[in-house]
Amino acid sequence: MDIVSHGLYGGVAFGRKNRTSFWLSFFFGIAPDLFSFGLFTIGTWVGLFEHPDWSSGRHPDPSAIPTFVHMLYDTTHSFVIFAFVFGLIWFLRKKPLYELLAWPLHILVDIPTHSAAFFPTPFLWPLSDYTVDGYPWSRPEIFIPNVLLILFLYAWWYRSRSRRESAGRT
């Protein structure tokens, strides 16, 4: 799934409490990709890494992506790692940080929307290398319903919020 969709799903699912909660959920929704591909992308902008060839309209050869990106991707796209971090933060705060749940939502959405050809989601790493050969999110039959679902969810959220605010004024 694209990074913006992940943020929007995280925000609508776990950030409806207030503006801070929304942006924190949005951040945790994009964090798995931000901490793997984001660092690499910044590195290509400043000339640290060669920019992969996307000109064919297809994904570049995964071997053209540096090893550290693969390692960070495995780490940030794992339910096992998430569970450890969530538990640690809960222990340190003495209460759960619910906005952090946008992270496993990201992983859950990625599982069926990444093919084995380019960064399949290693959701059980480091316990297992098992992945699902899904349908790439860039395919129109995935991308268009994704956009429509996001529009529907935000329209529903806006409408329900407006109704609550109107009910509170009377």
Side-chain angles (χ1 to χ4, degrees), residues 75-153:
T75 304
T76 61
H77 286 75
S78 168
F79 286 133
V80 177
I81 301 300
F82 162 76
F84 174 77
V85 172
F86 188 78
L88 180 64
I89 289 174
W90 190 340
F91 174 77
L92 293 173
R93 294 181 75 230
K94 310 286 191 251
K95 62 181 181 177
L97 180 62
Y98 291 111
E99 292 85 356
L100 196 58
L101 293 172
W103 177 3
L105 179 61
H106 175 122
I107 298 167
L108 192 63
V109 170
D110 269 0
I111 293 169
T113 61
H114 281 235
S115 74
F118 192 74
F119 284 88
T121 306
F123 60 95
L124 298 174
W125 186 88
L127 303 178
S128 171
D129 289 332
Y130 178 77
T131 60
V132 173
D133 187 10
Y135 296 95
W137 63 265
S138 56
R139 291 173 56 169
E141 60 268 27
I142 304 297
F143 185 76
I144 293 169
N146 168 58
V147 171
L148 294 174
L149 179 59
I150 289 171
L151 290 172
F152 170 79
L153 290 171

Side-chain angles (χ1 to χ4, degrees), residues 5-28:
S5 292
H6 282 304
L8 292 172
Y9 281 127
V12 77
F14 303 106
R16 295 188 312 260
K17 198 173 11 175
N18 57 45
R19 206 169 270 181
T20 301
S21 178
F22 174 84
W23 287 111
L24 193 55
S25 297
F26 186 94
F27 171 76
F28 286 123

